[in-house]
Amino acid sequence: MLDEKALDIVKETAPVLKEHSHEIGMRFYKLLFSKAPELYHMFNQTNQKRGGQQEALAYAVYAAGENINHLDAIRPLVMRISEKHRALGVKPDQYQVVGETLLQAVKDVLGDAADDEVTDAWRAAYKYIADVFINIEKELYDKTEHAPGGWLGFREFIVDKKVPETDAVASFYLKPKDGKPIASFKAGQYLTLKAAIKGEKYTHMRHYSLSDAPGKDYYRITVKREDAHGEAPAGIVSQYLHKKVKEGDILEFAAPAGDFTIVNNDLPIVLISGGIGLTPVISMLEMLVEKLPERSVTFIHATANSSTHVMKERVEQLAANRDNVRSYVCYEKPAEEDIAAGSFDKEGYIDLEMAQINFAKQQSRFLHTILLMFIIKE
Ligand SMILES: Cc1cc2nc3c(=O)[nH]c(=O)nc-3n(C[C@H](O)[C@H](O)[C@H](O)COP(=O)(O)OP(=O)(O)OC[C@H]3O[C@@H](n4cnc5c(N)ncnc54)[C@H](O)[C@@H]3O)c2cc1C
Ligand code: HEM
């Protein structure tokens, strides 16, 4: 642990660093990629171009600094990051170059305000925080490797089936090339794809939620094709998956990861999703119906209209003849045939009124115990 003086400095300066985390983050990545260009393969280069992600790492270090003597308070954040690091293959020795570069970026951005006392205190704080991550990630690597069917790093999978769901969304059924068992997963977890695409300078890592129930001899992911829009170019990996990858092709994935999973109890659950954000919650719904058929589930989904509505029939099938499973659909721009068929419950967006009506249909004594799963993606 840090000495008293260093602790005081870290806690005092953390808010200032948080305030500058965007600038520090920008400088940090510039320095990092010049020192360790191999990291271009690991970090999402589109996130780098779009901005927004640059400050995430620096911000998390400063948030940890603020909580340094009670890191348990931010354990959920630490676990989420560590799960992602494990999926991406972050190694203990990489913490050093990241730490040194972050300190350099702080000095470059803050100038004289980051004197020796401040940088020494943060060097010690970073080491302490990095060790927490390294230890958690070591446990995650061990667990992943030793789980039945588990593996370290990336494993080859054959695209066994590629099934269109809508015009812009397709499901990929993946079987391991080595024919051996695959690790089970918790509904809500994701696979990480390492895509080496012909003509691309770097490999691209992308995460895809597992969209079927656990316990099968395949994994399924369901991917939306990101087309060019306005100034934004088309998405690199989703275009590749949709346009180039065909049945029989090989793709490389890291073992299931992620902490966005269902709390194991028998309380009613409300799953809310928008667009392709349906993927983890459809996995949860499949799992609940299969493994916990008594649990009360409300499935609320919003999308543009029936032409973009992924797995509509499957959700209807799961809700049919089950009093404890309810499905509500919200269409932003219903088509004429949707209106004629009455195939949705509300026009527009999910709002509090809709949510309240649906919650009120559940027994009121449960109202305060509802678990909300919010995943809204563009
Ligand atoms: C935990 C997790 C689970 C996920 N699960 C799923 C899932 O189940 N299904 C799914 O389809 N996706 C899922 N995603 C998203 C997925 O990982 C990818 O981000 C998605 O497929 C887009 O990747 P891409 O390479 O096609 O697009 P990218 O090339 O990464 O581009 C992303 C977006 O940025 C825009 N863009 C690109 N360059 C610029 C620029 N210079 N300026 C402005 N905009 C730009 C693109 O038009 C595109 O819309 C998940 C993400 C996470 C983190
Ligand atoms: C204590 C040190 C670290 C902290 C606090 C930290 C924090 C974070 C955070 C907050 C994210 C975003 C998570 C998310 O999107 O859900 C992230 C992502 C990531 N981290 Fe770390 N990180 C640390 C060290 C490292 C190291 C040593 C590496 C390896 C070089 C690394 C590589 C990555 C990568 C590749 C991503 C994904 C980012 C992207 O592709 O855009 N991190 N980290």
Side-chain angles (χ1 to χ4, degrees):
M1 201 28 158
L2 285 70
D3 63 37
E4 281 291 312
K5 195 168 172 212
L7 264 181
D8 287 346
I9 294 173
V10 164
K11 283 200 249 161
E12 234 169 67
T13 52
V16 183
L17 294 181
K18 265 167 85 175
E19 211 183 296
H20 289 87
S21 52
H22 181 69
E23 265 173 289
I24 295 171
M26 300 284 283
R27 179 73 189 140
F28 163 74
Y29 279 111
K30 200 163 180 230
L31 291 169
L32 186 71
F33 292 131
S34 66
K35 271 192 209 175
E38 70 281 4
L39 291 179
Y40 276 121
H41 295 284
M42 188 182 248
F43 282 88
N44 182 325
Q45 292 307 310
T46 302
N47 285 349
Q48 294 293 321
K49 284 191 200 127
R50 288 177 77 184
Q53 180 82 9
Q54 278 97 339
E55 64 235 56
L57 196 154
Y59 191 91
V61 170
Y62 308 140
E66 260 182 330
N67 291 282
I68 196 143
N69 42 6
H70 49 95
L71 277 180
D72 267 0
I74 56 162
R75 195 171 165 83
L77 174 69
V78 175
M79 285 312 294
R80 199 193 72 211
I81 299 167
S82 288
E83 286 275 343
K84 197 164 254 184
H85 283 166
R86 199 284 293 150
L88 290 161
V90 170
K91 296 284 160 9
D93 57 4
Q94 291 175 317
Y95 276 83
Q96 194 167 340
V97 64
V98 163
E100 281 164 11
T101 312
L102 202 51
L103 270 184
Q104 183 60 51
V106 170
K107 283 193 215 161
D108 290 355
V109 169
L110 297 187
D112 290 345
D115 60 19
D116 286 351
E117 249 189 352
V118 171
T119 47
D120 285 350
W122 274 99
R123 185 171 292 106
Y126 177 84
K127 164 109 185 53
Y128 180 78
I129 295 162
D131 284 346
V132 170
F133 278 91
I134 290 169
N135 288 330
I136 292 176
E137 284 157 26
K138 185 184 177 321
E139 272 177 41
L140 293 178
Y141 280 112
D142 286 350
K143 229 167 103 182
T144 308
E145 185 179 13
H146 297 113
W151 70 96
L152 276 189
F154 289 84
R155 181 171 173 189
E156 291 185 323
F157 282 78
I158 300 172
V159 177
D160 188 46
K161 274 193 296 173
K162 179 176 175 183
V163 179
E165 302 285 356
T166 64
D167 169 50
V169 174
S171 285
F172 297 77
Y173 291 73
L174 308 160
K175 289 197 165 173
K177 187 175 164 223
D178 59 22
K180 293 185 182 158
I182 51 173
S184 191
F185 62 93
K186 288 188 180 151
Q189 288 194 304
Y190 56 84
L191 290 183
T192 299
L193 168 68
K194 182 167 81 176
I197 305 172
K198 210 169 154 199
E200 285 287 325
K201 199 166 169 194
Y202 310 112
T203 53
H204 296 283
M205 309 270 213
R206 296 289 185 274
H207 314 283
Y208 292 102
S209 301
L210 288 146
S211 62
D212 207 343
K216 314 272 194 260
D217 66 349
Y218 61 83
Y219 291 134
R220 183 180 72 185
I221 56 168
T222 301
V223 179
K224 180 180 168 215
R225 191 187 65 238
E226 297 290 346
D227 292 330
H229 53 280
E231 302 277 286
I236 298 167
V237 177
S238 60
Q239 290 281 332
Y240 160 72
L241 288 170
H242 274 263
K243 295 193 177 153
K244 300 271 189 251
V245 172
K246 46 190 193 323
E247 290 178 0
D249 284 354
I250 306 283
L251 294 171
E252 285 184 75
F253 290 95
D259 66 340
F260 177 64
T261 56
I262 289 177
V263 180
N264 196 5
N265 57 34
D266 59 1
L267 298 177
I269 182 162
V270 180
L271 303 168
I272 304 180
S273 61
I276 196 61
L278 160 139
T279 50
V281 287
I282 188 82
S283 171
M284 291 174 182
L285 181 64
E286 292 276 2
M287 183 280 288
L288 289 164
V289 166
E290 200 178 302
K291 304 263 168 31
L292 299 165
E294 302 303 316
R295 196 156 172 185
S296 169
V297 190
T298 303
F299 191 90
I300 303 178
H301 182 62
T303 185
N305 53 45
S306 55
S307 71
T308 60
H309 195 160
V310 178
M311 297 178 191
K312 177 177 187 291
E313 284 76 26
R314 181 62 185 153
V315 173
E316 283 168 4
Q317 217 176 34
L318 292 170
N321 305 321
R322 286 189 181 91
D323 289 344
N324 59 325
V325 179
R326 299 164 210 86
S327 157
Y328 295 94
V329 172
C330 191
Y331 283 166
E332 185 189 356
K333 299 175 212 132
E336 271 176 28
E337 57 269 28
D338 301 333
I339 297 170
S343 56
F344 60 100
D345 299 288
K346 181 182 184 292
E347 181 172 346
Y349 298 109
I350 297 171
D351 56 20
L352 196 57
E353 195 189 343
M354 180 192 190
Q356 276 166 344
I357 291 168
N358 290 317
F359 298 161
K361 286 180 184 160
Q362 304 224 17
Q363 291 177 38
S364 58
R365 72 195 164 93
F366 285 138
L367 280 185
H368 63 289
T369 56
I370 285 168
L371 169 62
L372 277 180
M373 295 289 179
F374 261 107
I375 318 188
I376 312 286
K377 290 186 196 150
E378 322 167 322

